[in-house]
Amino acid sequence: MVEYELFKIWPDHLKEMRLPGRKIIDIRVPDLEDKKKDFSKLQPSDTLFFKDTNNEILKTKVMKNNSKGAYVKHYHSAEELVINEGLENVWPNAKSFEEAVNKCLQFPGYKDRVKQNGIYAIGLEKLQIYVAGPYTAPTPEEKKENIMRAIKIGIELSKLGYVPFVPHAATADWELLGLNEQECLAIQRDMIRKSDAFFFIAPSPGTNSERKLALELGMDIFTSVKDVQFWNAANK
């Protein structure tokens, strides 16, 4: 897995990328002088590391294109890219085709470089963050508080451009509906293995065990939403 660093993103651009369920195509114009960024060689699950001028960070993975490898397509012009990829996937907030094309070419030097080298459409797959925190509690009211706390954090993570997995909501009361406690825990551990990062709310026997697994897997672990916003992992 390769991590591509894409810095000096405009804050408004990064904000648009964070919107839940919206922008799924990033555009890149090749710079033949930058030997570190050959977008044609991107592979599925390579990480794209976006940092804006306010030092906010968004990490995504390169989307898989069925059995054809990475979702990376080269076009000769911005017009061709927008037509084939769809305005709503490239620039969701653009109100017209012309505006979307202009947004593709708004960055310094892009017009000339597109004429020379074309333009790439890169499919973005959002990273999944596992939300871990206390679930069981002495009273039903306290249990509900634990669930709502985790759900609220999940919502905040989704606003930052990530896919939260909140077991408190996803598997709530499954142990009462056909699965025993150990089976529920096994499912949750499988979801940790499928996740890209780990959010630690507060200690508990179950949460501590999940955190240990995340550490063994080498995952970034966060303890605040702001740290996710700037990707400041607590274990780094």
Side-chain angles (χ1 to χ4, degrees):
M1 182 181 71
V2 179
E3 184 169 276
Y4 277 66
E5 296 179 344
L6 303 168
F7 293 171
K8 297 183 180 179
I9 306 298
W10 294 352
D12 286 347
H13 182 193
L14 192 70
K15 183 178 179 180
E16 189 170 12
M17 294 177 71
R18 291 193 188 277
L19 291 172
R22 301 289 299 281
K23 183 177 175 68
I24 61 171
I25 297 293
D26 186 55
I27 63 159
R28 290 288 138 188
V29 176
D31 182 351
L32 299 184
E33 295 181 0
D34 189 348
K35 304 301 182 182
K36 294 182 179 180
K37 295 184 178 66
D38 185 347
F39 300 112
S40 67
K41 295 183 178 179
L42 285 171
Q43 298 296 316
S45 297
D46 279 352
T47 303
L48 301 178
F49 183 99
F50 299 95
K51 179 189 285 189
D52 74 6
T53 54
N54 293 328
N55 292 321
E56 289 195 24
I57 287 172
L58 173 65
K59 283 193 174 186
T60 72
K61 291 189 291 189
V62 178
M63 186 186 299
K64 185 176 181 181
N65 187 15
N66 299 322
S67 60
K68 300 178 182 178
Y71 192 103
V72 178
K73 298 182 180 180
H74 182 264
Y75 295 99
H76 297 293
S77 68
E79 289 85 353
E80 183 184 12
L81 184 149
V82 174
I83 289 171
N84 283 275
E85 299 298 333
L87 180 153
E88 69 282 359
N89 295 324
V90 181
W91 295 109
N93 290 341
K95 295 179 174 60
S96 67
F97 174 79
E98 291 74 18
E99 182 182 351
V101 170
N102 289 334
K103 284 169 75 71
C104 288
L105 302 174
Q106 66 185 311
F107 306 103
Y110 263 30
K111 285 185 178 180
D112 292 335
R113 283 163 54 192
V114 169
K115 290 179 181 178
Q116 296 174 1
N117 308 314
I119 185 170
Y120 283 98
I122 302 172
L124 303 178
E125 179 182 335
K126 294 185 175 183
L127 301 189
Q128 178 171 290
I129 300 180
Y130 185 95
V131 179
Y135 173 64
T136 58
T139 67
E141 290 75 17
E142 290 173 298
K143 181 179 179 180
K144 184 176 181 179
E145 288 178 3
N146 286 340
I147 294 173
M148 290 306 301
R149 182 181 182 187
I151 289 174
K152 288 179 180 178
I153 288 173
I155 291 172
E156 292 302 311
L157 295 178
S158 71
K159 292 178 180 178
L160 290 178
Y162 300 101
V163 178
F165 180 79
V166 185
H168 305 66
T171 62
D173 296 325
W174 280 21
E175 68 273 14
L176 303 177
L177 300 171
L179 292 181
N180 62 44
E181 182 179 357
Q182 292 305 313
E183 290 170 330
C184 289
L185 292 174
I187 291 172
Q188 292 167 11
R189 292 175 73 84
D190 282 339
M191 289 308 303
I192 294 174
R193 295 185 182 95
K194 293 179 181 294
S195 297
D196 302 288
F198 187 92
F199 193 99
F200 183 82
I201 298 176
S204 72
T207 306
N208 293 343
S209 176
E210 291 176 328
R211 181 177 180 274
K212 181 180 178 182
L213 174 59
L215 286 169
E216 291 172 353
L217 294 170
M219 298 170 67
D220 286 345
I221 296 177
F222 300 94
T223 57
S224 77
V225 172
K226 186 174 182 180
D227 283 342
V228 177
Q229 184 176 355
F230 293 89
W231 206 266
N232 293 321
N235 60 320
K236 301 296 184 182

